[in-house]
Amino acid sequence: MESFKPVLEKIKRIKNEKGYTNEMLAKKAGIPLSTLNKILSSVIKDPKIGTIIAITDALNIDINSLIYPKMENSNETAKTTDSLNYLAEDYKLNFDDISFIQRYINLSTENRHKFLSLLKILANDDKSSRIPQLKKPDHILSVEEKRRIVEYELSLEEKKQYR
């Protein structure tokens, strides 16, 4: 598919800028190396969106920046990513933790405030509430627990969009 070519070129450029090998990127994205190689060599001309999202997450870029040129990573984003990497080392964060924080950073200011409001609701001790409750410090939550919370928050956002 010809329309995928500019996206593919941006992925290759960013991969090279970050100094990733195909092996490193495939591992970080959680996709088979053979699949990544086929995408980057244009054997697969129309990759699945989930695969592209995994690649953009591994590159710490917003998928929209591949499609909309005005959203390309700026120096400020690069500085934020560098700072995040240092913090990740200090606090021994895993890839899922870093990815979660990166997604939070990429939220608009308004959505960050909404997210924090949701966290306050989740931390509420009201046992009768149907909202998932945080029962232990966030850094102790399992990846699955964190995903469940984020999925719940995203579903709330989607519901608000249709009102």
Side-chain angles (χ1 to χ4, degrees):
M1 178 179 282
E2 193 63 34
S3 63
F4 182 66
K5 189 173 182 178
V7 172
L8 178 61
E9 293 306 316
K10 286 181 184 179
I11 289 172
K12 288 179 183 178
R13 180 180 48 82
I14 294 167
K15 178 188 84 92
N16 291 332
E17 286 173 0
K18 293 187 180 253
Y20 290 167
T21 64
N22 286 2
E23 293 82 12
M24 291 167 61
L25 181 56
K27 183 176 181 181
K28 200 169 182 186
I31 62 174
L33 176 59
S34 60
T35 301
L36 180 64
N37 287 337
K38 288 176 185 175
I39 291 170
L40 296 179
S41 65
S42 298
V43 172
I44 296 176
K45 298 186 186 303
D46 191 15
K48 294 178 183 175
I49 188 68
T51 305
I52 298 302
I53 291 170
I55 292 170
T56 57
D57 284 350
L59 291 171
N60 285 327
I61 59 171
D62 183 352
I63 193 168
N64 292 314
S65 70
L66 296 176
I67 303 164
Y68 305 107
K70 292 181 181 178
M71 295 185 72
E72 292 248 5
N73 285 350
S74 64
N75 287 337
E76 186 177 319
T77 303
K79 288 177 187 173
T80 302
T81 301
D82 289 343
S83 298
L84 181 56
N85 288 334
Y86 288 122
L87 287 171
E89 288 176 22
D90 288 345
Y91 289 95
K92 296 178 179 32
L93 300 176
N94 63 33
F95 175 74
D96 289 328
D97 294 333
I98 296 168
S99 178
F100 180 81
I101 294 167
Q102 189 67 42
R103 286 183 177 149
Y104 173 79
I105 291 169
N106 289 333
L107 290 174
S108 67
T109 304
E110 180 184 349
N111 285 337
R112 284 186 196 175
H113 290 295
K114 290 177 184 177
F115 178 79
L116 292 174
S117 296
L118 288 170
L119 284 179
K120 288 177 186 174
I121 292 169
L122 293 172
N124 184 351
D125 288 332
D126 181 13
K127 303 287 184 196
S128 64
S129 174
R130 287 204 222 164
I131 299 170
Q133 299 292 310
L134 292 177
K135 299 194 186 310
K136 45 188 167 180
D138 188 45
H139 66 279
I140 298 175
L141 292 174
S142 71
V143 172
E144 185 56 38
E145 290 169 318
K146 291 176 187 177
R147 281 193 184 122
R148 218 173 54 240
I149 291 169
V150 171
E151 287 172 352
Y152 176 78
E153 292 161 356
L154 291 174
S155 70
L156 287 178
E157 284 299 314
E158 288 173 356
K159 288 176 186 174
K160 287 181 184 177
Q161 288 177 1
Y162 294 109
R163 288 183 188 176

